[in-house]
Amino acid sequence: MKEHTKQLVIEILRDFQDIPQHIKDREEELRHPVVPRDENVGGGRAQYKPNDAIDRLIITIDEDERLHKLKEEYEVVDYCYRHADDYTQKIIYELYIKRYPSYTMQGLIENGIIPYSQKTAYKMRNKFLKEVAKRLGIDSL
């Protein structure tokens, strides 16, 4: 796996806990867009504009690439994490998902949290990162 791809997956993992909030924020942003006030309209003259806000909202949320990407990242990481073995989950959680990690890979091994050698633990981690990259379609970057 290329270093760039690995770093991209690690950033996604580090942001994993915040993705649901990012999704919510993006949906709110799409539901309530900032519409600049037209200063040229004045004189108290009423203007008729058809209310197609709901149609625009559905199309916008359905077509928003950023929102789709956030949802895809969350689903892929969640799937890979749930289908990983217990020790791989411990490694990924402690090194990347946990807000304030207590251990490094070496610390996980030395404290008996992971009963494997450092080489094996890194292989487990790399296998997980490759699976996430593959499912996100970024394994060739």
Side-chain angles (χ1 to χ4, degrees):
M1 175 187 294
K2 294 181 181 177
E3 188 63 28
H4 173 72
T5 304
K6 182 175 150 184
Q7 290 305 315
L8 188 58
V9 172
I10 288 172
E11 284 303 312
I12 291 168
L13 290 172
R14 288 195 171 125
D15 200 34
F16 179 69
Q17 288 184 347
D18 297 327
I19 291 177
Q21 184 62 46
H22 294 321
I23 290 170
K24 183 180 173 187
D25 292 345
R26 183 64 181 160
E27 286 175 346
E28 282 299 310
E29 191 177 303
L30 293 171
R31 279 191 184 96
H32 308 289
V34 175
V35 180
R37 186 168 174 230
D38 188 357
E39 299 295 333
N40 294 322
V41 177
R45 198 170 142 212
Q47 290 186 351
Y48 173 74
K49 289 185 180 179
N51 187 356
D52 62 344
I54 293 176
D55 293 337
R56 282 185 285 123
L57 172 67
I58 292 169
I59 292 168
T60 305
I61 287 177
D62 191 42
E63 294 177 350
D64 188 68
E65 289 182 35
R66 182 170 160 219
L67 186 59
H68 281 289
K69 194 69 178 163
L70 288 168
K71 288 179 178 180
E72 179 188 22
E73 288 173 359
Y74 186 82
E75 290 168 3
V76 166
V77 172
D78 183 56
Y79 176 86
C80 291
Y81 187 79
R82 284 186 292 110
H83 287 85
D85 65 83
D86 290 341
Y87 292 114
T88 300
Q89 285 181 356
K90 287 179 183 179
I91 292 168
I92 298 304
Y93 180 76
E94 183 63 40
L95 298 182
Y96 306 115
I97 296 176
K98 190 175 178 183
R99 290 227 191 266
Y100 303 104
S102 305
Y103 301 102
T104 61
M105 184 72 83
Q106 189 63 36
L108 290 170
I109 295 164
E110 288 175 359
N111 290 297
I113 297 168
I114 305 296
Y116 297 110
S117 69
Q118 190 169 351
K119 183 177 179 180
T120 303
Y122 276 111
K123 281 183 182 179
M124 294 166 71
R125 182 209 56 186
N126 291 341
K127 180 180 174 188
F128 181 87
L129 297 179
K130 284 180 187 176
E131 182 64 22
V132 171
K134 180 179 141 196
R135 288 185 177 273
L136 287 174
I138 59 174
D139 54 342
S140 62
L141 293 179

